[in-house]
Amino acid sequence: LPNILSDHLHFPNVVSEIAEEFEAKHNVEVHINFASSGALARQIEHGASPAVFISANKKWIAYLNEIGKTVPEYEKVVA
């Protein structure tokens, strides 16, 4: 079950559309967890392991990199 954590204020429509397309194409269910970037980063810090983390705040990505909870070579800045 692919899991996406996404900043709820900045990306809900885009993330929902991408998830729907992915589900249809791959015949899987995608779980989306919308919350603030900080709340999502804290979830990852405490053991959540999403397939994708989308954050509007680069500070939280940097924090997760510092504590070894990301794979920096897969990090993408899109805006």
Side-chain angles (χ1 to χ4, degrees), residues 18-33:
I18 291 169
E20 288 174 12
E21 290 178 23
F22 188 88
E23 287 175 328
K25 183 175 183 179
H26 298 283
N27 196 31
V28 296
E29 183 180 347
V30 175
H31 173 74
I32 304 171
N33 182 355

Side-chain angles (χ1 to χ4, degrees), residues 1 4 10 15 17 30 32 41-42 53 57 60 68-69 73 76 78:
L1 178 66
I4 299 173
H10 296 92
V15 171
E17 288 177 25
V30 175
I32 304 171
R42 295 293 184 201
F53 172 50
N57 188 328
W60 289 110
K69 295 291 186 175
E73 56 267 18
K76 303 286 186 221
V78 295

